[in-house]
């Protein structure tokens, strides 16, 4: 083996010292980097927990809102069903009123015929009973309606003198009040 010269030893020592400094610097950088990585990891973990908490709050809020909306929807559905029932009832009433209106129109159209019939019946009452017909028998004027007290009951079918005026008054009033 060869002996190293003092200069070579010095250069080797200087080189080793430089390597040690570089290793020490690299170790220091490594520790700094590891500390930075650890801080970043802890920060990420905290942020992850914050995001999870925020996400959980949002999910709970969404569930509450969905529940509220379902409740409102059910109340709205109940209201709609009640209103449909009211509409059906009102439609039934309208249908009944239409039928009654049509019936009233028919009655009003038939009124002159009824008035004429009453006049003829009153005239028939005035004629009295046929000679030879016993009281309590069937009246020939009223087509099979039994007579009471020997004649047609005058309270059933009579027109007084004022009836003609009342009829005219009713005709004018009826057109304006219905």
């Amino acid at each position: 083996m060869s002996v190293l010269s003092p200069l070579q030893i010095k250069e080797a020592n200087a080189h080793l010292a430089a390597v040690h400094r570089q290793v020490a610097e690299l170790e220091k950088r490594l520790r700094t980097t590891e500390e930075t990585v650890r801080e970043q990891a802890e920060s990420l973990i905290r942020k992850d927990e914050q995001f999870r908490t925020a996400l959980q709050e949002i999910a709970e809020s969404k569930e509450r809102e969905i529940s509220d909306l379902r409740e409102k929807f059910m109340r709205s559905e109940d209201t709609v069903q009640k209103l449909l029932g009211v509409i059906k009832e009102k439609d039934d009433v309208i249908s009944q009123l239409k039928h009654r209106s049509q019936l009233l129109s028919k009655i009003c159209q038939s009124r002159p015929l009824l008035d004429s019939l009453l006049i003829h019946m009153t005239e028939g009452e005035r004629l009295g009973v046929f000679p030879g017909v016993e009281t309590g028998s069937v009246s020939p004027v009223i087509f099979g309606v039994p007579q009471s007290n020997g004649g047609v009951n005058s309270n059933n079918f009579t027109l007084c003198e004022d009836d003609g005026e009342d009829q005219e008054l009713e005709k004018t009033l009826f057109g304006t009040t219905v």
Side-chain angles (χ1 to χ4, degrees):
M1 292 226 252
S2 78
V3 179
L4 294 175
S5 71
L7 183 64
Q8 286 178 331
I9 292 176
K10 234 182 188 185
E11 283 179 2
N13 283 338
H15 181 68
L16 279 176
V19 169
H20 280 291
R21 275 192 310 271
Q22 193 174 12
V23 167
E25 187 180 320
L26 288 174
E27 285 178 348
K28 183 179 175 184
R29 284 167 113 192
L30 178 64
R31 279 191 300 271
T32 305
T33 304
E34 285 176 345
E35 189 175 317
T36 302
V37 168
R38 185 176 29 256
E39 288 174 0
Q40 288 177 346
E42 289 173 1
S43 175
L44 287 174
I45 290 171
R46 281 192 306 270
K47 286 187 181 194
D48 187 48
E49 288 175 2
Q50 290 173 350
F51 285 138
R52 284 185 187 183
T53 303
L55 187 62
Q56 182 68 27
E57 289 173 1
I58 290 171
E60 289 172 359
S61 173
K62 180 189 78 160
E63 289 300 321
R64 280 192 305 268
E65 190 173 339
I66 287 172
S67 176
D68 290 345
L69 289 174
R70 281 188 181 141
E71 217 173 286
K72 286 180 183 178
F73 177 74
M74 294 305 288
R75 284 195 305 262
S76 295
E77 282 293 316
D78 289 343
T79 302
V80 165
Q81 291 304 318
K82 288 176 185 175
L83 290 174
L84 286 175
V86 167
I87 288 171
K88 185 181 181 320
E89 289 174 9
K90 298 224 182 237
D91 284 346
D92 291 344
V93 169
I94 288 171
S95 176
Q96 290 174 355
L97 290 174
K98 280 183 180 177
H99 179 69
R100 288 181 182 181
S101 172
Q102 291 170 350
L103 185 60
L104 184 59
S105 292
K106 288 178 183 178
I107 289 170
C108 289
Q109 290 172 355
S110 301
R111 172 119 190 228
L113 294 174
L114 292 174
D115 289 342
S116 175
L117 177 63
L118 287 175
I119 290 171
H120 291 300
M121 290 174 75
T122 303
E123 184 180 335
E125 283 179 2
R126 288 188 202 139
L127 293 176
V129 181
F130 285 115
V133 176
E134 296 180 20
T135 59
S137 66
V138 176
S139 170
V141 176
I142 313 233
F143 305 106
V145 176
Q147 293 178 342
S148 61
N149 299 330
V152 176
N153 187 348
S154 62
N155 291 333
N156 288 338
F157 303 104
T158 61
L159 288 176
C160 65
E161 294 175 1
D162 294 335
D163 279 350
E165 293 172 11
D166 287 344
Q167 290 172 2
E168 289 299 315
L169 181 61
E170 286 175 4
K171 286 180 184 177
T172 56
L173 289 177
F174 182 73
T176 60
T177 58
V178 174

